[in-house]
Amino acid sequence: MMSPTRSEALSKELAISGLRKRGSDSGKNVLPMTTMDTNAMEEGKLKRSESTGSASSSNNVTKSVIASMAGRNSKDKKQRFGDRPRSQPPPPSPNGKKFKDNAAQPGNKGIRRTFYSLCFKMVFLLFIAFGARTLFNKAVLKYTEFGNGLQDITKERDDLNEKNKLMASQNSKLSKANAELEFNYKALEKERNDIKNMYDDMKTKQGDMVEKGVLEQKVKEERSRLEREMAERGGIEIEALRKSIQKQSHREVMDRFGKKYGSGPYKIEFQIELPDQPDQSPSFRYFVVETAPLLQMPHSISIFLEQVEENLWDGSSFLINNVQTVVARPRDKLQDFENAMLGSVSFDEYSDDFPLEAYTLGFNTESGKPEIYISTKVHPGPASAKDHNPGFGRISNGHDVIDMMSSLPVNSEGELRKEVVIKRVYLI
């Protein structure tokens, strides 16, 4: 009989050799020591010792080692593959060897299941991603359509607001116009009633009136009589007014100019600038006007001397050159004439002792504005003097200057193409 120590060692060696052989048969990278099925151990053709003492103790040691190794292997499998049911051992081969069934190994099934699970998850995630992208594109399209629709609605709202404002403004104008029409209608209605009342009154008084033809004749006769009386009375009054104005003008001239220049005739010098000609540059010329005796034309002389004293003709121009006269007008000093109340004479003053002749200076009263003229042709005598504007002075020196002005070119309306500027007018 073997000793217990030797028996225990032999049992350990048998267990270890069996475990190594099983690990090499599996062909996997597992722990070098794998578990051995207790049933296989029991049926593994290991002959138990028949000895009663030492064999039982050896059996007990072998079982304890196998149990400890099986527990350790079970814990490793649970960590690697989870709590999976252990596969049944392959059936024994006829020759006593185990089948090498890789598909039956728990590690291969776990890997396949993990692979299938990952593939399923990936397909599911791709499906979800594709669906989410489609839904996102639809949402973006819907949002864009909604934004465009909102802009259209906002624009329509603004257009409606503008139309409402315009309609409100037009309504206000129409209301105002309606009120004015109503007021005018009431006024016309009142006027129509007044006319109707007047017509009724005239119709009532018609019976008391004489026949229409007799009445018209009487009216004509009465009007003619009144016109004759007014003409006679007016002519006397107008002539008296003229003489009064002449006397007042004579006194004003003597008071203002008599001490320095005497009782006349007065001499006034014109300094003018002739326009440039093709063969010469602009030049200054002078001519002198001598007035009529103060007693013959007091009102015209008074107005002209006051205009000269106020420098109203300085800066004016000769603009018109017609057949018989050259006419001067103020350019920008019309308001100055009006402010000085020296625009023109109060009436046309004539004297048989001072007829209109060539080189005569006078007022052009036909325009109603301050204008003076110088005649260039011989006029009719005293018999037809009142057919022309009054003259109150004559050119005593400078006839050649007047001839030069009258020879300047004019346009179709008789206006000088280049005006003659009056630089200065003054008493000498």
Side-chain angles (χ1 to χ4, degrees):
M1 294 179 64
M2 290 189 298
S3 64
T5 304
R6 188 176 180 181
S7 178
E8 292 175 359
L10 181 61
S11 299
K12 287 181 181 182
E13 289 178 359
L14 290 173
I16 291 169
S17 63
L19 290 172
R20 287 178 177 174
K21 183 178 182 180
R22 187 173 181 178
S24 63
D25 293 339
S26 63
K28 302 292 179 180
N29 292 327
V30 294
L31 292 175
M33 298 179 64
T34 57
T35 61
M36 182 182 292
D37 198 332
T38 56
N39 295 328
M41 292 291 294
E42 292 177 357
E43 297 176 0
K45 307 307 184 284
L46 295 176
K47 295 181 180 180
R48 296 191 181 116
S49 177
E50 297 297 332
S51 60
T52 56
S54 60
S56 61
S57 63
S58 177
N59 255 344
N60 291 335
V61 171
T62 301
K63 288 181 179 181
S64 65
V65 171
I66 291 171
S68 64
M69 295 299 292
R72 185 182 301 171
N73 195 16
S74 176
K75 184 182 291 184
D76 292 338
K77 286 184 178 181
K78 286 182 180 181
Q79 290 177 358
R80 290 168 59 190
F81 305 107
D83 294 334
R84 296 178 182 176
R86 294 181 61 183
S87 61
Q88 295 296 328
S93 62
N95 57 2
K97 294 183 180 181
K98 296 181 181 180
F99 291 103
K100 293 182 180 181
D101 189 3
N102 293 334
Q105 296 299 322
N108 292 337
K109 287 184 179 181
I111 290 172
R112 289 183 180 181
R113 288 178 183 177
T114 303
F115 177 73
Y116 294 153
S117 176
L118 289 175
C119 290
F120 176 76
K121 289 180 180 179
M122 288 178 65
V123 172
F124 183 71
L125 289 175
L126 288 173
F127 177 75
I128 291 177
F130 180 75
R133 182 178 179 84
T134 304
L135 292 175
F136 177 76
N137 291 335
K138 290 182 179 180
V140 170
L141 182 60
K142 290 288 185 182
Y143 180 77
T144 304
E145 292 176 355
F146 175 76
N148 294 334
L150 183 61
Q151 290 180 357
D152 294 339
I153 292 173
T154 304
K155 185 177 180 181
E156 291 179 1
R157 184 195 64 187
D158 295 339
D159 293 340
L160 289 175
N161 290 336
E162 292 295 331
K163 290 180 180 179
N164 288 334
K165 291 180 181 179
L166 181 61
M167 291 177 64
S169 176
Q170 292 178 352
N171 189 19
S172 176
K173 292 180 180 179
L174 290 174
S175 299
K176 185 177 180 180
N178 188 22
E180 292 179 356
L181 289 174
E182 186 175 358
F183 177 78
N184 294 333
Y185 174 77
K186 290 181 179 180
L188 290 173
E189 186 70 18
K190 182 180 179 182
E191 186 176 357
R192 186 182 70 84
N193 294 331
D194 294 340
I195 292 173
K196 184 178 179 181
N197 294 331
M198 291 174 62
Y199 175 76
D200 294 338
D201 293 341
M202 291 177 64
K203 192 175 181 180
T204 302
K205 296 178 180 179
Q206 188 176 7
D208 300 334
M209 296 175 64
V210 295
E211 294 182 359
K212 185 177 180 180
V214 177
L215 182 59
E216 289 180 354
Q217 185 64 29
K218 289 184 177 181
V219 169
K220 288 181 180 180
E221 292 177 357
E222 185 66 18
R223 184 171 60 188
S224 299
R225 184 183 64 82
L226 291 174
E227 287 178 353
R228 288 194 300 271
E229 291 181 358
M230 289 178 65
E232 294 175 358
R233 189 178 302 173
I236 296 172
E237 293 177 355
I238 290 173
E239 186 63 28
L241 181 60
R242 286 178 178 175
K243 291 189 176 297
S244 176
I245 292 173
Q246 288 176 331
K247 290 180 181 180
Q248 181 66 27
S249 298
H250 186 276
R251 285 195 297 269
E252 290 177 357
V253 170
M254 292 304 297
D255 292 340
R256 190 168 182 177
F257 304 102
K259 294 181 180 179
K260 185 175 181 180
Y261 300 103
S263 60
Y266 302 98
K267 292 185 178 182
I268 301 96
E269 186 171 74
F270 281 73
Q271 179 184 354
I272 65 173
E273 181 182 3
L274 292 174
D276 55 335
Q277 299 298 319
D279 56 344
Q280 58 184 358
S281 60
S283 59
F284 292 98
R285 295 289 188 273
Y286 301 87
F287 64 88
V288 178
V289 175
E290 182 177 334
T291 65
L294 185 60
L295 292 176
Q296 293 180 5
M297 310 284 286
H299 179 55
S300 299
I301 293 172
S302 174
I303 295 295
F304 183 70
L305 292 180
E306 290 183 16
Q307 291 175 346
V308 172
E309 187 72 13
E310 296 292 335
N311 301 321
L312 296 178
W313 288 109
D314 295 355
S316 301
S317 301
F318 285 96
L319 302 174
I320 307 297
N321 181 13
N322 54 34
V323 178
Q324 297 179 343
T325 59
V326 289
V327 182
R329 294 175 181 172
R331 299 291 288 174
D332 301 323
K333 303 179 70 172
L334 183 60
Q335 189 63 39
D336 296 339
F337 278 89
E338 294 178 357
N339 293 337
M341 293 184 293
L342 296 172
S344 183
V345 292
S346 301
F347 58 92
D348 292 338
E349 192 173 28
Y350 300 99
S351 174
D352 294 337
D353 296 329
F354 199 84
L356 291 175
E357 297 178 356
Y359 305 108
T360 297
L361 175 68
F363 287 114
N364 183 21
T365 59
E366 293 178 355
S367 65
K369 297 178 181 180
E371 292 182 359
I372 56 175
Y373 73 91
I374 298 174
S375 62
T376 58
K377 301 289 183 181
V378 177
H379 284 74
S384 59
K386 293 186 178 182
D387 295 335
H388 306 277
N389 293 316
F392 56 86
R394 289 194 176 92
I395 308 302
S396 61
N397 187 10
H399 289 184
D400 58 334
V401 177
I402 305 303
D403 294 338
M404 291 175 64
M405 283 195 297
S406 63
S407 64
L408 293 175
V410 296
N411 58 21
S412 60
E413 297 179 357
E415 297 178 350
L416 291 172
R417 295 185 182 277
K418 294 183 179 181
E419 61 187 38
V420 178
V421 180
I422 300 175
K423 305 297 291 185
R424 188 183 175 197
V425 182
Y426 50 92
L427 278 163
I428 57 177

